[in-house]
Structures are given as structure tokens and as C-alpha cells.
Amino acid sequence: MSSQYNIGVIGLGVMGQNLALNIERNGFSVIGFDLDKTMQEKAAAKFSGKKMEVVANMQEFLSKLESPRRILMMVPAGNPVDAVIRDLKPHLAKGDLLIDGGNSYFPNTERRVEELHETGILFIGTGVSGGEEGALWGPSIMPGGDPEAWPLVKPILQAIAAKTPDGEPCCDWVGKGGAGHFVKMVHNGIEYGDMQMISEAYFLMEQLLRLSPDEMADVFEEWNKGELHSYLIEITADILRKKDDETGKPMIHMVLDTVGQKGTGKWTSQTALDLGVPALTIAKAVFARIASSYKEERIAAAKVLEGPKYSMYGNKEEVIEKIRQALFTSKLCSYAQGFQLMKRADEIHKWDLNFANIAQLWRAGCIIRAQFLTDIRDAFQADPDLTNLLMTPYFRDAIHKYQTSWRNVIAMGVESGLPIPGFSSALSYYDSYRAPLLPTRLVQAQRDYFGAHTFERVDKPRGQFFHVDWK
């Protein structure tokens, strides 16, 4: 074992352990610490025989780190992060580096960067996507914080990150302050939308076409060979193929239709509201999870609230293709919303985000990795000031080509009484964005009627406001 380790990891849960093992496998020595004795023992067993060590107290942990000390915190977001910082702070020197690798809310990261910068301690808040497997074999990593800190940890993080097919690491500096955790938050918001829309495609095939899970697994496997190629499509096929060991039934039919959430989708939606960005699909995906939690009420309501019967639709192959096209166009709109939100946040926070680079970071390792992220990267490389991805030839042409099917599928769902908030909100976003005239002129007139909120006139320059007596 080394007496001076390259990096320390605090928090030896599965993610902490796997990142530590990944770091060691890529040539760096690691020391670990966790308050939980059971976690210490489990990590020590996995670290045995490697350039790694687990210690039982903080003082020994700090004394065995080379200077400047680099410490990766893998603890739950919120108060636990502040508690670890509070314990470490008196023992750290100017130039030491703390890295928060959890899903922290970006305003907290902004605060921590500023507070620690005043003491000379460097701080990075980094998003890490890819789950347990990614942490071990190569995640997407989105670091932001104090720019002075990046050179200290760049060799390590880029070494352990996933690599694109052309060998580029899915890790690069995102921006100052809370930029890294903000980008990870939006990643997770897009992930919420993606998962919701894939589930709607599954539900339409199951309820309208009466396809079995195995038949749907075949469909998703085929879809994964084309423009829908992505990690989430790939694992959906695996899920639908799985059989329950206890009953022999498809495992998907044994899963209760209630969905949990940890908060990043909600944060994304709240931030979109705060910044005035219409991230409809992400918000609808959050609300769909909330609606799912009312299981008992839904069962009771199904007995008394009437709706249309689920309908069988004609040629299965034709309907399956329409659903594929609807899923693809809906996904494009969800990603457009995520990048629109990041662009607006960058204008306010002055992070100097590189959107082509962000798309590059998401091409491998992360949960939302998908084939068309290459097209998103290329679009921003061609036009860094791009206002909305819907305006790019790739997005525009795909939606023009598929939108008839998209609208038909949503109509099928509505006529059959199936809830498809992901698909329908994505279409609403598209139709609203392309509309030169919206019904909201009446809303503003109503506001002026009862509250004298004024309005702008179509025949006067923008920025001039008027009020009339509407009676």
C-alpha cells in the first residue's frame, strides 16, 4: 500500500466504491473513508490487493493523501455534503480540492464554491451519470466549480470517463460555479422525459395492438438498430424480455405502476419555471410520476369514471412504425427543451457553457446517451449561437417527415382513453414554438380587464404598454 495516495474518496456506497475501483484501475492510488463500519469492511474486501486502502478515521485519511489533497465526496446531496465539508474544512490547506460527485442542487454548489474560495480551498461540483455500471467502467462526468481546480483533477476524471467511439473522453470542464451540477440536473430532466415517452410507446403497443412483452422486446431491439439507438431503448428490450423467477410471467407485468423520484426532474421543472423556459415534456414526465403514486385512487376512479374502450388499430406493422416515428420526434422535442433551458441559464449565470461540448459529454457513459447526440454536437459546432435545436436541419427535417404519424399516434391514444402526456406535451411544445399567433392574446386581455396589467398592441412598437376600459 502507498503511504501517499493520489486521491481520497469519502462515502463508500456502491457508487463511491465503483468510482474508486475505476480510478485505481486507471493508474491512480486511492484511499477511502466511510463512517459506516459495514461499508468500510465491504470496500476493504473489494480494494484488497490493489493500490487502495480503507481507513477508519478522518485524521488518518487526510494524513495519507499527497498534497495538494484531492478528495471526492460521494455522499447524499443536501445537508450531508455540508456536514462533510464542515468536518474537513479545519484540516484542509490552501490549494486542497474537494469534489462533490453527488446530485447536488446547483445553487448549493454555487454557494459552496464561493464560501470555500474565500478560504483558498478549491471546490468542484460534478455530475456523474451512468449508474453503478458506469461508475465502474466509465461514466459521463460533468465538472464545474472553481476553474483553478480543474487542472488538479483533469487527468484522473478524463482517465476514468467513458470514451466516445472516436476515443474522446466524456468528461470536460463545463463551467464555473454550479454549471456542472446544473448540466447534470438538465441531463436528468431529459432522462425523465425520455423514460416517460418510451413507456408510452410500450403502453400504446400493449394496449392498442395487444403485443406481448416478448413481441415488444423484438420491436425495441429493432428500433435500437436505427435512429432511436440509445441506452434506454436497449435496456427496455432487456426489461420486456425478462421473466419472473417466482411465477414465470413477464417481469414487467409484476411491476407495480408507481414510480419513484429523487428530485432532479422536479428541480429541472422548477428551474424552467423560474427562468421562463417552456420545458413542457420534462414537467409532464415529473407530473406523470406523481400521478402514478395515486394507485388506490386510480383503481377506485376506474370503477366510476367513464372513458372510451381501448381500440384495436389496423395493420400492426404500420402502427408500430407510426409509434416509432412519434417516439423519435417527441424525443427530439424533449432534448430541444433541455438545451433551451441550458441556454437561458447560461445567459443569466454567465457560465459560458459550450453546448457542443455538453452534447459530446453525453455521447457515451450516461443514461441518455443516444445516436443523435452526435447531430446535436455538430449543430452547435456549426452555430454556437443556435437559439433552438428545432431550427437545425436535422431536427426540422425529421419532424417534417414524421409529424403526420406523430399526430396520428396521439389521436389514437386520445380516442382510446390512454394517457400519453409525454407525446402530447412534446407536440404542444412544437406547435407553440412554430405558431406566429397564440391564443394567449385573450389571456393578456383578461389580465388587463380585471387587473389593469396592460398589454402591447400589434400596431405599435414592442415595449409600449396600453390599458383600456373593456366595458
Side-chain angles (χ1 to χ4, degrees):
M1 288 185 232
S2 171
S3 59
Q4 292 289 293
Y5 290 90
N6 299 137
I7 189 169
V9 177
I10 294 177
L12 298 175
V14 176
M15 286 292 290
Q17 286 182 32
N18 284 0
L19 283 170
L21 289 164
N22 189 350
I23 292 169
E24 193 275 341
R25 190 178 64 252
N26 280 280
F28 303 93
S29 56
V30 185
I31 186 168
F33 171 75
D34 197 296
L35 289 171
D36 189 308
K37 187 173 177 60
T38 301
M39 291 294 186
Q40 292 176 18
E41 293 172 350
K42 288 182 178 179
K46 288 187 177 181
F47 295 175
S48 178
K50 299 178 173 62
K51 295 177 292 182
M52 310 176 79
E53 183 180 355
V54 176
V55 293
N57 67 78
M58 187 74 80
Q59 290 72 26
E60 185 180 3
F61 173 82
L62 291 168
S63 69
K64 290 188 173 183
L65 281 169
E66 65 182 17
S67 184
R69 287 172 286 196
R70 294 171 286 196
I71 300 170
L72 173 61
M73 300 178 293
M74 294 302 299
V75 299
N79 292 332
V81 177
D82 287 320
V84 173
I85 293 173
R86 192 163 51 246
D87 289 345
L88 287 171
K89 193 174 175 181
H91 308 289
L92 298 179
K94 184 177 180 179
D96 286 346
L97 168 60
L98 293 179
I99 308 161
D100 175 13
N103 276 330
S104 288
Y105 192 29
F106 76 95
N108 291 334
T109 304
E110 296 256 302
R111 169 180 57 80
R112 290 163 186 152
V113 171
E114 292 179 8
E115 290 175 352
L116 290 170
H117 185 77
E118 293 175 0
T119 69
I121 299 169
L122 304 176
F123 188 82
I124 283 177
T126 185
V128 179
S129 177
E132 299 172 9
E133 182 107 349
L136 183 60
W137 298 108
S140 171
I141 307 175
M142 296 150 260
D146 193 324
E148 296 177 33
W150 178 230
L152 295 178
V153 76
K154 177 180 178 180
I156 297 176
L157 295 186
Q158 289 195 334
I160 69 170
K163 305 300 185 294
T164 65
D166 46 6
E168 291 296 316
C170 291
C171 171
D172 205 353
W173 187 248
V174 173
K176 64 183 180 180
H181 273 140
F182 180 84
V183 169
K184 176 55 163 59
M185 179 193 77
V186 175
H187 164 285
N188 284 22
I190 294 172
E191 178 185 311
Y192 271 56
D194 241 354
M195 295 170 72
Q196 175 63 29
M197 291 182 293
I198 292 170
S199 75
E200 291 173 14
Y202 143 77
F203 202 52
L204 286 164
M205 287 189 285
E206 181 182 67
Q207 300 298 324
L208 300 186
L209 302 179
R210 305 292 192 263
L211 296 189
S212 70
D214 278 327
E215 289 173 318
M216 288 184 284
D218 291 340
V219 170
F220 278 100
E221 284 180 358
E222 189 61 32
W223 286 357
N224 200 44
K225 297 174 184 177
E227 57 195 357
L228 276 172
H229 177 71
S230 66
Y231 173 72
L232 286 171
I233 294 291
E234 176 187 339
I235 69 168
T236 299
D238 293 340
I239 290 167
L240 293 170
R241 194 78 72 191
K242 178 71 175 177
K243 300 296 185 293
D244 178 27
D245 291 338
E246 293 184 24
T247 65
K249 296 179 180 179
M251 193 71 227
I252 189 64
H253 288 168
M254 308 308 295
V255 178
L256 192 68
D257 60 333
T258 58
V259 188
Q261 56 179 314
K262 293 186 176 180
T264 48
K266 180 179 73 174
W267 291 345
T268 307
S269 299
Q270 289 174 332
T271 302
L273 287 168
D274 290 340
L275 300 185
V277 176
L280 279 68
T281 306
I282 295 170
K284 284 291 188 179
V286 176
F287 282 121
R289 294 191 183 198
I290 294 170
S292 78
S293 68
Y294 288 79
K295 178 66 174 179
E296 288 71 26
E297 289 187 33
R298 290 190 286 115
I299 292 173
K303 298 174 183 177
V304 296
L305 300 181
E306 293 184 0
K309 298 295 184 182
Y310 297 163
S311 304
M312 280 287 289
Y313 277 82
N315 184 288
K316 286 187 178 182
E317 294 304 319
E318 289 182 4
V319 176
I320 289 170
E321 175 57 17
K322 286 184 177 182
I323 294 172
R324 185 194 72 81
Q325 293 178 11
L327 176 58
F328 185 63
T329 47
S330 296
K331 281 164 67 73
L332 293 180
C333 286
S334 181
Y335 279 73
Q337 292 168 41
F339 276 87
Q340 186 181 14
L341 176 56
M342 289 190 288
K343 187 172 182 63
R344 178 60 179 151
D346 192 43
E347 292 169 355
I348 293 173
H349 294 283
K350 311 300 182 186
W351 288 324
D352 195 25
L353 299 181
N354 184 323
F355 301 108
N357 196 39
I358 291 168
Q360 173 79 3
L361 302 185
W362 293 349
R363 287 180 63 206
C366 70
I367 302 300
I368 66 169
R369 59 185 183 266
Q371 179 173 297
F372 61 73
L373 279 161
T374 303
D375 299 284
I376 294 175
R377 179 202 62 188
D378 294 346
F380 280 110
Q381 285 179 342
D383 182 6
D385 297 323
L386 180 66
T387 56
N388 193 303
L389 283 165
L390 294 180
M391 303 299 287
T392 66
Y394 179 80
F395 275 55
R396 183 193 64 218
D397 293 348
I399 293 175
H400 286 181
K401 181 180 178 182
Y402 292 157
Q403 70 168 292
T404 299
S405 292
W406 190 14
R407 296 177 190 279
N408 287 345
V409 166
I410 291 170
M412 289 179 199
V414 172
E415 289 171 356
S416 301
L418 294 175
I420 46 173
F423 281 13
S424 57
S425 64
L427 181 58
S428 292
Y429 173 78
Y430 174 74
D431 281 340
S432 295
Y433 192 73
R434 70 178 187 86
L437 181 65
L438 291 169
T440 44
R441 57 167 31 163
L442 179 58
V443 176
Q444 191 62 19
Q446 291 169 332
R447 294 181 74 240
D448 189 55
Y449 185 108
F450 64 72
H453 291 292
T454 75
F455 58 91
E456 295 175 275
R457 293 178 60 102
V458 297
D459 57 352
K460 303 291 184 183
R462 291 297 305 268
Q464 294 183 20
F465 293 88
F466 302 87
H467 168 65
V468 300
D469 183 354
W470 291 92
K471 282 192 176 181

